[in-house]
Amino acid sequence: MKSNFFISLITSFILLSCNSDEVVCEETINSSCDNGLLIMRSEALTGADQTFFLDSIQKPVNTPLVFDNIQNEVQASFFGPFTRPSNYDAYNPINNTYFIEFPVEQRLFKYDITTQTRSEFIISGFYSAPIFYNGTLYALEVDFSNFGYATNPAVYEIKTIDQNNGSVTSLTSGTFPLISSFNWESMSSAKDNNGNLYFVSNTNLITYNVNTNTATHTELVPTFDPFNNFQRYYGLELRNNGNLIAIRYRDNTFGEGLELVELDINNLTSAPTVIFDFTANGIELNNEYYSTTYDSCDDKYYITSRDINNTSTSNFYEIDITNTTFKTENFPYYIMGIETKN
């Protein structure tokens, strides 16, 4: 509490002393937002198996991006370029550890960034979208009996993952009527500061409260129809105003689009607000091989996406939500598992 109060006093002093020079003020405040990003890249190096590099990207982001290597190792030959799909990574700022799951190979990697060591665990089950809250690693598992693909009614469990051996413990379970699809491969997650974890798969949102150990389901598109009102949500994050943001793909009677939208946390079934239009900016995203993160400090949303037209390359995007501008760069390898350090 003392440190937070001290920081607040410093921030207030900076804000009050900036009236005469707004440019200097903005640079001073934003300097606290430049803690960088974590990202993993996968390359098939000549004469070696698939190699994975855990890197840090410097902020503020400039193109070409500056990568600082943290750790790289040659993995087993069964790791191919399409082994790891989307949103199976999490970062714990409390002890500076980074987790990334390779579900097809049933492997979970733990990177201790401070000591630059890596642990590997064998995992089982169809849990996905791992996320930290107060140092505990949570995940959602979809219907185990159907290989992680829900049937109607959908069945799921909220679990914790042991950070020392990768084992899981079930906390609570739930079920709901299914009108769109719900599966482990399309899951992404977010959290707030009040004990709520959010998991989304297509149009299904699960809210889990860690304090009460209760979970609820919300159908984001009550009028969903696979032919006349198809929609899909992914890349879920929590914006600094308390609302959820996500990528929305739609193909319905109102037209087709790919947008970053904001969901009113107090009225999740209301029409979301479009805050960035990917289609209008000529951006295509791969909803199967992608990762996202959001930096609440400077209101920027980050995406990595395997290129749809050339799957041996990947695209990186920084979306400045406040200014509705973006930066992008293409790489001749697969980049994934992006996480903010803030």
Side-chain angles (χ1 to χ4, degrees):
M1 292 297 293
K2 285 184 178 179
S3 60
N4 289 338
F5 179 70
F6 182 65
I7 291 171
S8 299
L9 285 176
I10 293 175
T11 303
S12 300
F13 174 77
I14 292 172
L15 289 171
L16 291 172
S17 64
C18 288
N19 295 332
S20 62
D21 193 342
E22 293 181 359
V23 174
V24 174
C25 174
E26 183 178 354
E27 290 179 351
T28 303
I29 294 174
N30 285 343
S31 64
S32 64
C33 299
D34 298 338
N35 290 336
L37 305 164
L38 293 171
I39 196 167
M40 181 161 280
R41 55 191 169 100
S42 172
E43 295 186 60
L45 301 180
T46 303
D49 296 324
Q50 199 75 21
T51 305
F52 294 89
F53 302 83
L54 181 59
D55 295 329
S56 176
I57 297 178
Q58 297 178 14
K59 286 188 65 179
V61 167
N62 295 301
T63 54
L65 268 63
V66 178
F67 290 89
D68 294 324
N69 182 243
I70 296 173
Q71 190 171 0
N72 58 276
E73 296 180 17
V74 176
Q75 307 298 339
S77 59
F78 54 73
F79 281 94
F82 292 94
T83 296
R84 189 248 181 215
S86 303
N87 281 311
Y88 290 87
D89 49 82
Y91 173 64
N92 185 6
I94 295 176
N95 58 8
N96 201 24
T97 54
Y98 173 92
F99 283 76
I100 187 165
E101 181 185 354
F102 293 80
V104 176
E105 304 299 339
Q106 294 192 312
R107 299 293 199 282
L108 178 66
F109 291 168
K110 172 186 176 181
Y111 289 87
D112 187 319
I113 296 173
T114 303
T115 62
Q116 294 192 3
T117 57
R118 181 182 67 81
S119 304
E120 179 178 341
F121 310 128
I122 304 297
I123 60 174
S124 62
F126 301 99
Y127 59 84
S128 58
I131 187 167
F132 277 100
Y133 190 87
N134 284 345
T136 300
L137 186 56
Y138 295 85
L140 186 147
E141 181 176 72
V142 182
D143 193 354
F144 184 86
S145 63
N146 198 45
F147 306 102
Y149 295 87
T151 56
N152 191 19
V155 178
Y156 66 91
E157 291 186 11
I158 305 295
K159 299 193 171 187
T160 55
I161 303 174
D162 190 303
Q163 299 172 49
N164 296 313
N165 59 28
S167 63
V168 295
T169 301
S170 181
L171 299 175
T172 190
S173 61
T175 182
F176 60 88
L178 188 66
I179 66 172
S180 67
S181 59
F182 186 70
N183 60 73
W184 69 315
E185 288 186 306
S186 63
M187 197 78 61
S188 58
S189 58
K191 64 182 177 183
D192 64 18
N193 293 322
N194 300 314
N196 293 307
L197 309 181
Y198 303 93
F199 300 88
V200 71
S201 172
N202 294 291
T203 65
N204 301 286
L205 180 74
I206 303 297
T207 304
Y208 172 72
N209 187 285
V210 302
N211 301 312
T212 61
N213 191 33
T214 55
T216 58
H217 167 261
T218 302
E219 171 56 61
L220 296 176
V221 186
T223 59
F224 175 89
D225 182 273
F227 303 104
N228 300 315
N229 189 16
F230 180 85
Q231 297 189 43
R232 174 192 294 126
Y233 288 82
Y234 59 99
L236 189 69
E237 305 290 344
L238 187 91
R239 197 176 181 188
N240 54 16
N241 61 5
N243 287 331
L244 292 170
I245 54 177
I247 300 166
R248 179 183 67 172
Y249 170 76
R250 57 181 175 83
D251 183 6
N252 53 34
T253 54
F254 301 103
E256 185 176 4
L258 185 68
E259 303 139 332
L260 185 64
V261 299
E262 183 171 323
L263 297 158
D264 185 346
I265 197 67
N266 297 312
N267 190 4
L268 291 168
T269 59
S270 63
T273 302
V274 177
I275 54 179
F276 184 83
D277 192 324
F278 294 105
T279 302
N281 284 281
I283 297 174
E284 292 182 295
L285 298 176
N286 191 324
N287 69 289
E288 185 177 5
Y289 292 92
Y290 79 96
S291 65
T292 65
T293 193
Y294 169 76
D295 195 335
S296 61
C297 189
D298 52 13
D299 200 24
K300 291 179 179 178
Y301 185 86
Y302 297 90
I303 311 164
T304 71
S305 172
R306 187 186 289 277
D307 195 286
I308 294 176
N309 301 309
N310 182 2
T311 55
S312 62
T313 68
S314 298
N315 298 305
F316 169 92
Y317 301 96
E318 179 191 70
I319 310 297
D320 188 326
I321 299 177
T322 304
N323 299 318
T324 63
T325 58
F326 71 97
K327 297 177 182 178
T328 183
E329 189 171 354
N330 178 266
F331 298 94
Y333 42 76
Y334 186 29
I335 53 176
M336 54 186 166
I338 191 167
E339 293 283 344
T340 179
K341 294 181 185 178
N342 281 323

